[in-house]
Amino acid sequence: DQIGDAAKKLGDASYDFAKEVDWNNGVFLQAPGSFQPLKALKAIDKMIEMGAAADPELLKKAADAHHKAIGSISGPNGVTSRADWDAVNAALGRVVASVPKQKVMDVYDAVKDITDPKVPAYMKSLVNGADAEKAYQGFLEFKDVVAANQVTTASAAATVPTGDKIGTAAKALSDASYPFIKDIDWLSDIYLKPLPGKTAPETLKAIDKMIVMGSKMDGNLLKAAAEAHHKAIGSIDATGVTSPEDYEAVNAALGRIVASVPKQTVMDVYNSMAKIVDPSVTNNMFSKVNPLDALSAAKGFYTFKDVVEAVQ
Ligand code: DGD
Ligand code: CLA
Ligand code: PID
Ligand code: PID
Ligand code: PID
Ligand code: PID
Ligand code: PID
Ligand code: PID
């Protein structure tokens, strides 16, 4: 297709740049400017809306392309192979083309709103500047091909199951855990701190397992989960906490996507995360909330998971 061909040209223009970026640099975990959680949540919300509007099949293929690309990483900078670099660009170009232009620009504008104007120049200063300009020129040509293949109307909303066992169980889980949700400091910057003692390649292994799980999920249910998160973001209070109803809808939606993949795929995520999350992290989280609320939430979760497993 045209986007695939254009991605090869983009690769010619951008792979030198890709090789020069230190993908393992911890700076990429930082907020791109001053820390503004509510504005950042707005930017994420725009990404969620774009993801919910995208073609689920193309999203899956993009997830698969990333998984494959992680498998061909080499060298100290963590760069993927030339072929996989092109495949990721092509897959993302197709995802972008599957949503109306305005949804893409809304993401750009919202990210711009939390990005210090000095950040792009700082990024450029870490690589060969001429190669960055060549890559950007390539991106400008690529985006014209994407625009020429872009849809003009959004896809239909997801179908949300009703009256199912997971939906019923989600009510009990939500009742048991909403007090805990209210105890959590959602506006803290602690969630942007590096995991103690873990390197980027180690962390990427766990993220890879999530990518694999995402690509196996039922596309309609994943879209419904994105829509539920978007709705929940719309009802947050000043501390970032969503309404009980929207919280319940998020739990139901997530239970359903978990049930749509094999148990082992879920356990692979859990086990790989357990390897990188030191117990000190969990204990620290626990120390900041009311312990009875956390225990009630945990009990609710362990009851909920049996219902999920039964329909998995
Ligand atoms: C950049 C963009 C990269 C900056 C990286 C910041 C992104 C951080 C994302 C953090 C989000 C949070 C998610 C994680 C949450 C974790 C939860 C725990 O360097 C601009 C200005 C605005 C920059 C900010 C907006 C970036 C938006 C990027 C899309 C968002 C993606 C989402 C990422 C999130 C995660 C994904 C899963 O656009 O951009 C560089 C540009 O900066 C440079 O400016 C451009 C002008 O826009 C353009 O108009 C033009 O002037 C150009 O061109 C210069 O510069 C000139 C000529 O016109 C060209 O023809 C050519 O010759 C060129 O020069 C060659 O030099
Ligand atoms: Mg990705 C984007 C890393 C998994 C879907 N992703 C980005 C970039 C960053 C990144 C490189 C955001 C920061 C930025 O804009 O830099 N992703 C990244 C990692 C992983 C991952 C490390 C780990 C596996 N992503 C992942 C998965 C999905 C996505 C699983 C779902 C399938 N990701 C996704 C989308 C987008 C990203 C939809 C973006 O739109 C965003 C992005 O790249 O925006 C431009 C700048 C970008 C780069 C350095 C990448 C190359 C860009 C072009 C080809 C060349 C460079 C031009 C110029 C020098 C700088 C960019 C200017 C900009 C205005 C265009
Ligand atoms: C400028 C000036 C003009 C010239 C110009 C110009 C540049 C404009 C630009 C630009 C626009 C632009 C847009 C970009 C958009 C990037 C969008 C990224 C989206 C990320 C998403 C993440 C996610 C997911 C995901 C799916 C999940 C939801 C999420 C489901 C259902 C300034 C050059 C025209 C770069 C969507 C993918 C996992 C949130 O206009 O003179 O330069 O860049 O998890 O959804 O699972
Ligand atoms: C524009 C203007 C509108 C019209 C429009 C428009 C286009 C927007 C577009 C577009 C946005 C867009 C985004 C793309 C992004 C590509 C990002 C590629 C990333 C590749 C990576 C590869 C890798 C790896 C990996 C992880 C490793 C690092 C690597 C570590 C820690 C402008 C059409 C709407 C194409 C990250 C995965 C293995 C490098 O908005 O008018 O057209 O395209 O090895 O991580 O090692
Ligand atoms: C400039 C002027 C214009 C021309 C121009 C220009 C240059 C702009 C540039 C540039 C922008 C730019 C951006 C780059 C972005 C790279 C993003 C990489 C993201 C990597 C990640 C990696 C990771 C992980 C991971 C999970 C870990 C955290 C991390 C935990 C909990 C100035 C040329 C356009 C290079 C996200 C995945 C392992 C961080 O604009 O005229 O030159 O470069 O380890 O999670 O640990
Ligand atoms: C233990 C001991 C026994 C008792 C027991 C026990 C506990 C086991 C547990 C547990 C398992 C467990 C699993 C959990 C799994 C969480 C998985 C999260 C996945 C996240 C993903 C994120 C993503 C995306 C997304 C889609 C994108 C890709 C991504 C596309 C196509 C120890 C109780 C049985 C909590 C998938 C969603 C946006 C990466 O066994 O005695 O306690 O918890 O962006 O994909 O867009
Ligand atoms: C298990 C054992 C195997 C069998 C199995 C199994 C089950 C795994 C499961 C499961 C995992 C799972 C996960 C669920 C997670 C639910 C998470 C809900 C989060 C809700 C939030 C709501 C909100 C917001 C929002 C953003 C705001 C904050 C809030 C800010 C900054 C165990 C079956 C495989 C259900 C976060 C979105 C508005 C609070 O593996 O043997 O069954 O379920 O307002 O952000 O303000
Ligand atoms: C313990 C012992 C057992 C019993 C038990 C127990 C407790 C465990 C606990 C606990 C675990 C736990 C975890 C918590 C996790 C909260 C995670 C919140 C994430 C929030 C984020 C917010 C954000 C943003 C956002 C984007 C911004 C950055 C942020 C940028 C660029 C010990 C009870 C089981 C509470 C990610 C989205 C706005 C940070 O196990 O016997 O009690 O709690 O602003 O992006 O700015």
Side-chain angles (χ1 to χ4, degrees):
D1 63 338
Q2 288 185 335
I3 293 178
D5 295 341
K8 265 200 61 60
K9 285 182 73 183
L10 174 56
D12 291 338
S14 63
Y15 193 61
D16 286 332
F17 164 77
K19 284 187 283 188
E20 287 155 14
V21 172
D22 177 9
W23 299 96
N24 293 322
N25 192 329
V27 77
F28 301 125
L29 189 60
Q30 302 294 304
S34 58
F35 178 66
Q36 305 169 83
L38 289 170
K39 269 190 172 182
L41 183 64
K42 216 177 224 170
I44 307 251
D45 188 33
K46 293 299 177 190
M47 292 184 218
I48 293 170
E49 283 197 82
M50 178 174 151
D55 179 333
E57 281 310 309
L58 293 174
L59 268 185
K60 278 180 197 237
K61 287 187 178 149
D64 289 338
H66 281 83
H67 169 59
K68 183 158 183 292
I70 291 169
S72 72
I73 285 177
S74 68
N77 281 358
V79 75
T80 187
S81 71
R82 167 66 202 267
D84 287 336
W85 174 255
D86 292 6
V88 167
N89 280 317
L92 291 181
R94 292 181 193 112
V95 167
V96 171
S98 78
V99 303
K101 172 179 162 175
Q102 194 53 50
K103 292 242 187 271
V104 185
M105 290 309 295
D106 287 350
V107 173
Y108 175 82
D109 291 339
V111 174
K112 185 176 172 153
D113 202 38
I114 56 164
T115 304
D116 188 301
K118 293 190 209 79
V119 167
Y122 174 68
M123 293 300 173
K124 188 182 175 188
S125 77
L126 301 176
V127 297
N128 178 322
D131 288 339
E133 280 166 26
K134 193 174 64 162
Y136 183 69
Q137 197 57 51
F139 172 77
L140 290 180
E141 288 168 29
F142 180 74
K143 71 111 172 65
D144 288 337
V145 178
V146 171
N149 286 278
Q150 195 157 31
V151 302
T152 49
T153 47
S155 58
T159 316
V160 182
T162 49
D164 58 332
K165 291 198 173 103
I166 292 180
T168 308
K171 166 110 184 75
L173 167 59
S174 305
D175 289 345
S177 59
Y178 194 66
F180 168 68
I181 290 297
K182 284 200 286 186
D183 293 341
I184 297 170
D185 182 359
W186 293 99
L187 305 183
S188 165
D189 67 356
I190 198 166
Y191 313 109
L192 284 181
K193 301 292 174 213
L195 291 167
K198 293 305 155 194
T199 63
E202 286 171 317
T203 308
L204 188 63
K205 272 204 184 105
I207 293 185
D208 187 33
K209 298 296 184 197
M210 294 200 279
I211 294 171
V212 169
M213 179 169 155
S215 107
K216 287 190 188 168
M217 286 170 176
D218 178 277
N220 172 61
L221 293 176
L222 181 57
K223 184 179 199 167
E227 287 167 356
H229 278 82
H230 168 60
K231 181 156 187 293
I233 291 169
S235 74
I236 60 168
D237 63 19
T239 66
V241 175
T242 190
S243 71
E245 297 76 22
D246 288 341
Y247 174 60
E248 183 185 328
V250 168
N251 277 322
L254 292 181
R256 289 180 194 120
I257 58 177
V258 170
S260 79
V261 303
K263 172 176 164 176
Q264 191 53 50
T265 309
V266 186
M267 289 310 292
D268 287 349
V269 173
Y270 176 82
N271 290 324
S272 63
M273 283 294 162
K275 266 187 213 144
I276 59 166
V277 179
D278 191 274
S280 68
V281 173
T282 341
N283 288 330
N284 183 44
M285 289 294 142
F286 190 43
S287 75
K288 292 171 191 289
V289 297
N290 177 322
L292 291 178
D293 291 346
L295 289 166
S296 163
K299 191 161 174 273
F301 174 75
Y302 294 125
T303 310
F304 180 72
K305 71 114 171 68
D306 290 334
V307 178
V308 171
E309 189 168 9
V311 300
Q312 196 165 26

